[in-house]
Amino acid sequence: MDIYASTLSPALDIGAGCYLLVVTVLSIVGNVLVLVMAFKRWSRMKPPELLSVNLAVTDLGATVTMYPLAVASAWSHHWLGGDGACIYYGLVGFFFGIASIMNLTVLAVVRFIVSLNLQSPREKITWTKVKMLCMWTWLYALIWALFPILGWGRYGPEPFGLSCSLAWGEMKHSGFSFVIAVFSFNLALPTVIIICCYSSIAIKLYFTYRKSMNHGHRIPNIVKLHRRLLVIAVLISLGFIGCWTPYGLVSLWSIFNKSSSIPPEVSLLPCMFAKSSTVYNPMIYYIFSQTFKREVKKLPWLCLHSSMCRVANSVNDNSIYMVSADIKPKVTARSTVHESIESKTEIFD
């Protein structure tokens, strides 16, 4: 039996290929826009923002290196490239997946550290530390991706035959320890850390808000900024974990039960849903970050009329990067300047 032959109907293969093509285009456009925005304001970026850029790189890398092959295989009704391409696809997918979840975990920890003293002008996270954290996420992901190549775990085709990943159904005995380690250290533990960090930040912001209201003060601008950043960060984390949870549950089912007990059409859906995770981050930035949206609209090739571009480019930077122009707390001049700088530098997060 050809393990790389599609077990789906030709119509479903074509539909899956079209879906992946749309995901590919949206992911490339969205993540390239994030990287372009970062490049334009590189000199004004703050260290924690590099983690958001790193996350866009992982999403774009997964899209470019994986999805075209998946689209071509779907439209050919057969996995292209045989064993070599299957191992490559599984390794790359596992590598970028681990890099993404660990990047989100590091981002949550950094956010928590920054929130410990919201109005402190001192940088708690330096460029050197953030660069080392980014390098750590890539190295950590690479080590885990190489384990199946070295004999702990293995890569293989998905049940529907048009994609490759970890061969979950074949690791019931010899690779069971690898499965437990993967779910423990690369899903359960990061999820717990993310939840704890963002819950702590939310509690911190709540008490800061209550303290300001009890003293008859308006909400500090820096609190509003961190509240908005918290919403964006939580949505990004929920988007990634939510996309991959159905796939993880189906994978666990195939370990403890026969893979044939899951119809190919059912096993296809979680896999396609997981691949859409690379699309959501730029959408979340665009919807919830007014600054990112305005910067995108200022790009020359997105302007419908040249007059619109001239008007957008003539706007003062302060009016673009302020969190809320109509809410200003009664604080000292030094604090106001610091809040303005914070607001101007946090775009993507």
Side-chain angles (χ1 to χ4, degrees), residues 48 107 138 225 306 321 345:
L107 181 61
W138 291 108
L225 170 64
S306 59
Y321 295 110
T345 52

Side-chain angles (χ1 to χ4, degrees), residues 38-277:
F39 178 78
K40 286 182 60 179
R41 53 185 300 279
W42 184 262
S43 61
R44 293 175 291 154
M45 280 181 58
K46 299 191 71 175
E49 290 184 275
L50 185 61
L51 293 169
S52 297
V53 176
N54 196 46
L55 187 61
V57 172
T58 61
D59 289 342
L60 185 61
T63 302
V64 173
T65 59
M66 296 173 61
Y67 296 177
L69 179 58
V71 171
S73 297
W75 287 347
S76 300
H77 313 298
H78 189 281
W79 176 254
L80 303 177
D83 293 337
C86 185
I87 294 176
Y88 158 80
Y89 193 90
L91 186 149
V92 171
F94 191 40
F95 170 71
F96 282 113
I98 297 297
S100 294
I101 187 66
M102 297 316 298
N103 195 94
L104 290 172
T105 305
V106 171
L107 181 61
V109 174
V110 169
R111 283 275 175 231
F112 172 73
I113 295 174
V114 171
S115 70
L116 291 177
N117 193 347
L118 297 180
Q119 294 183 336
S120 173
R122 181 182 177 184
E123 287 287 352
K124 305 177 184 66
I125 306 295
T126 64
W127 278 106
T128 301
K129 292 179 181 178
V130 172
K131 290 177 181 178
M132 291 180 63
L133 289 172
C134 289
M135 292 177 60
W136 176 83
T137 60
W138 291 108
L139 180 60
Y140 180 87
L142 180 61
I143 292 174
W144 277 95
L146 290 177
F147 278 146
I149 302 296
L150 300 176
W152 194 32
R154 62 174 302 177
Y155 295 114
E158 299 276 11
F160 50 88
L162 290 179
S163 180
C164 291
S165 181
L166 291 171
W168 302 106
E170 301 179 19
M171 294 188 292
K172 297 180 180 179
H173 304 291
S174 59
F176 190 73
S177 61
F178 177 74
V179 173
I180 297 300
V182 167
F183 277 92
S184 298
F185 294 104
N186 299 307
L187 182 59
L189 183 59
T191 301
V192 170
I193 293 175
I194 290 172
I195 292 174
C196 290
C197 287
Y198 288 140
S199 298
S200 300
I201 295 173
I203 294 173
K204 171 70 175 179
L205 292 177
Y206 172 76
F207 282 109
T208 303
Y209 166 79
R210 288 291 300 272
K211 182 178 180 181
S212 299
M213 298 303 294
N214 290 338
H215 288 81
H217 296 232
R218 293 183 178 181
I219 304 174
N221 212 35
I222 196 67
V223 174
K224 295 179 67 64
L225 170 64
H226 279 272
R227 185 173 61 184
R228 178 173 295 180
L229 299 180
L230 175 63
V231 171
I232 294 176
V234 168
L235 288 175
I236 290 173
S237 299
L238 287 177
F240 183 86
I241 296 173
C243 285
W244 282 96
T245 296
Y247 180 80
L249 294 176
V250 172
S251 300
L252 280 177
W253 175 271
S254 65
I255 292 173
F256 295 102
N257 301 273
K258 292 183 179 180
S259 300
S260 58
S261 62
I262 304 177
E265 294 80 6
V266 176
S267 64
L268 172 69
L269 294 177
C271 184
M272 296 294 104
F273 188 45
K275 293 183 186 300
S276 68
S277 64

Side-chain angles (χ1 to χ4, degrees), residues 26-38 56 60 282 301:
L26 292 177
S27 179
I28 291 176
V29 172
N31 287 290
V32 165
L33 282 177
V34 173
L35 296 179
V36 168
M37 295 297 100
L60 185 61
W301 60 80

